[in-house]
Amino acid sequence: DVPGTFLGEFVYLKEHNQTVPPRQTFAVSAGRGGLAVNAVRLEVMANHGSQDYTCVYGIGVYGTPQPDL
């Protein structure tokens, strides 16, 4: 297991409608604001399809670039 800082736990809602778009965003808790990182790890805890794999079509991480960590 790689050491790191837990940024949050989020649930992707698979039912898309006018209030839940297919592209969903999740904010990091306010207590972690300003945290500089050089990598982000995504861990899928449950899947609504195959038990062998999970399809992730894209992930974006947004913030302000910092000097070399």
Side-chain angles (χ1 to χ4, degrees):
D1 197 25
V2 177
T5 301
F6 182 74
L7 298 178
E9 186 171 317
F10 312 101
V11 176
Y12 179 81
L13 302 175
K14 66 177 185 154
E15 290 80 21
H16 307 146
N17 56 45
Q18 290 181 341
T19 58
V20 180
R23 177 177 287 181
Q24 298 171 37
T25 60
F26 306 98
V28 174
S29 65
R32 297 292 183 204
L35 177 68
V37 298
N38 60 4
V40 175
R41 180 175 124 185
L42 171 69
E43 184 173 335
V44 177
M45 304 299 290
N47 187 8
H48 296 284
S50 172
Q51 293 187 17
D52 297 327
Y53 63 90
T54 299
C55 290
V56 176
Y57 292 100
I59 182 171
V61 179
Y62 304 95
T64 304
Q66 300 295 311
D68 291 338
L69 297 174

